[in-house]
Amino acid sequence: MKYPKALAEYAGKYLHIALIGSFIKWLFYGSLVGVLTGSASALFLASLDFVTEKRMAHPWLLFLLPVGGALMAYIYLKIGKNAGKGNNLILEQVNEGKESIPLRMAPLVLLGTVLTHLFGGSAGREGTAVQMGGSLAEWIGKRFRVDAHDRRILLMCGISSGFGSVFGTPLAGTVFGLEVLSIGMVRYQALIPCFIASFVANLVTTAWGIHHIHYAMGAVPELSTGVIVKVVFASILFGLASILFSELTHGLKKLYTYLFKNAMLKAFIGGLVIILLVAIFRTRDYLGLGIPLLQQAFVEPVAHFAFLWKTIFTALTLGAGYLGGEVTPLFVIGATLGNSLADVLGLSAPFLAGLGLIAVFSGATNTPLACFIMGIELFGSEGIIYMFMACIVSYLFSGHTGIYTSQRIGLSKSRGHVLPENATLGSVRVTDKRE
């Protein structure tokens, strides 16, 4: 009887040693990814602020948007190679893909996004940060010759560190890297590495002097049946708004590609379309990140259809092949939609704007937990129940749609919708259209 007990004690002792060794390893790798990605995000955010100020000071820069788009299309055509797949390339590689993520993805996407914002394209910044984080994490993995399993965790660290540092939300960044890969499944084996990478990246970005914008939801209504019904109704609309954004963006990408086989011509024409829209609407509120419009949604009424116009401007920009992310425009879309619903539902505009900000994002990325945590980091915990409701309802009502076509569907959102194993959002869209 002594031998099994001794064997158990022996195994337990060395299990603890192995766990300590694993923790030290990921403390090193996660911190290294965080330092590099956080520094890259700081450079990126500072560059965005600089070019945005230049664009606001020199309105004529908008007329160079077609040329800037064509230039970036040419650069990607010559040296970009598979880097042009963007965030989807990183998701594919984490999900056991066989391609390599080139280091050149980081400077290319940074330059392309900066040019997009300099000349007035409507785009975000999350995609750029995630791609920089993924490419830097891949480079680290190659330098240290990690195996396939550790490579996937490193790439998840890159996603988390890029997201957490660019928005100043390290906890949301951690969970986003775990949750975004596969709908309905969270890969907890990378929890500690992703947290370390996201936390360090945010610290480094802040240390470089970058300050993130904060918003306030104001007074949160007391919990009642009436308020719950209104929040659920608004959240359904937030989910539908995320569908509109995702499907319109994917549809315009296909339409532009079908009409213009040459990538440079496609971007050039896309830039002309944005200029034409500015002339028609006689406003530049929907260009760039849309931060002024986002801030306005928390303090005063905005145009009732501002969410729709921002959707159209962003979908046209990204559809034509311009570089940039989708999340900040999704924030603007959600916040302005929530603001517009305030009078109809008889609720506070800042309150609904805050719910809309995280809920539309949740529906478009299929990451309700990350969005819920982001809500807490941005607005505090007072409205925690409403934020959770908004994220999960929007997530459910967005169906099997989203901005990342390579995102796997681990578990279907509905028992009545049976999907093949390892299906992705892209493959589901193709199957649904054939049916």
Side-chain angles (χ1 to χ4, degrees), residues 6 25 32 43 52-53 56 64 69 82 129 151-152 157 173 175 200 235 252 320 323 336 342-343 392 403:
K25 177 180 74 172
L32 186 56
L43 173 62
T52 299
E53 290 177 4
M56 299 294 287
L64 296 180
N82 65 343
R151 180 203 180 214
R152 288 193 289 272
C157 289
V175 179
V200 170
S235 301
L252 285 172
L323 277 297
T336 52
D343 289 338
I392 60 174
I403 57 178

Side-chain angles (χ1 to χ4, degrees), residues 156 159-160 173-182 185-192 194:
M156 293 168 71
I159 294 172
S160 291
T174 299
V175 179
F176 184 79
L178 306 175
E179 193 179 18
V180 72
L181 305 171
S182 184
M185 301 181 71
V186 179
R187 304 190 183 188
Y188 287 110
Q189 72 269 30
L191 178 60
I192 291 178
C194 285

